Amino acid sequence: GLDVDAWPNVSIEAHAPLPQRTLAATSPAPTATPPRTGSPDGFLVVRYRSLFAGAAVERIPELQFQRPAAEIEISHARARELGIRTGDQLDVRSNGTSKMLAARLNRRLRPDVVRIADDHADGLGDVVEITTP
C-alpha cells in the first residue's frame, strides 16, 4: 500500500502561489469614426440572427413557424414619407441581388436604417435601395 508517513513534508492543505498582478498596458484611445449612414437613395442594413435560427430549426418541419419572416423593418417616419405601410411588399436591391420582403414599421429605427434577419439578407450589401413594385 501507500505509506503516508513516508511523506512528512507534504500537506493536503498546501496552496500554490498566485502570480504577481501586473497592470495591463494602456492602449491608445480609439479614434472617433463618423457613424455610418445610408445614402439619400439607400438605407444602411442592420442584420440580426434570429433566436430560432440554425441547423436544428431548419431540419425540423414542426419548428419552421419559429423562423424569421421574410420582412424588412423600416423606420415608421421614413415609411410614412415613402407611402409604405406594414405588410407592403418591397423590392430590396443591392449588389445585383433583388429580394421581395414584406414591410414592417418600427418606431425605434433611425430613418436611414433598415433591419433584416440574416436568413433573408443573403447577397445584400451594407446599403440597399427599396422600391414598391
Side-chain angles (χ1 to χ4, degrees):
L2 188 58
D3 185 10
V4 177
D5 294 329
W7 299 339
N9 295 330
V10 175
S11 170
I12 295 175
E13 298 169 9
H15 297 281
L18 294 175
Q20 282 290 52
R21 285 189 175 181
T22 59
L23 293 176
T26 59
S27 59
T31 59
T33 56
R36 292 175 31 190
T37 59
S39 70
D41 298 328
F43 294 86
L44 180 66
V45 176
V46 174
R47 290 174 172 78
Y48 68 94
R49 182 172 166 88
S50 172
L51 180 62
F52 298 103
V57 173
E58 292 170 7
R59 286 190 301 251
I60 301 172
E62 292 82 9
L63 296 178
Q64 294 303 305
F65 74 96
Q66 293 185 345
R67 295 184 71 194
E71 61 188 14
I72 181 171
E73 290 183 57
I74 185 170
S75 154
H76 186 270
R78 189 71 183 270
R80 280 184 35 195
E81 288 175 14
L82 300 173
I84 298 171
R85 297 189 327 201
T86 295
D88 287 354
Q89 290 295 310
L90 302 177
D91 184 18
V92 182
R93 293 182 319 279
S94 173
N95 295 337
T97 300
S98 179
K99 296 185 177 260
M100 292 299 290
L101 301 172
R104 181 174 185 190
L105 307 188
N106 184 331
R107 292 184 188 272
R108 296 180 302 193
L109 283 179
R110 292 187 346 214
D112 61 340
V113 173
V114 293
R115 202 168 166 256
I116 306 172
D118 274 340
D119 292 11
H120 305 293
D122 287 343
L124 296 175
D126 290 339
V127 176
V128 296
E129 293 179 8
I130 297 174
T131 57
T132 54

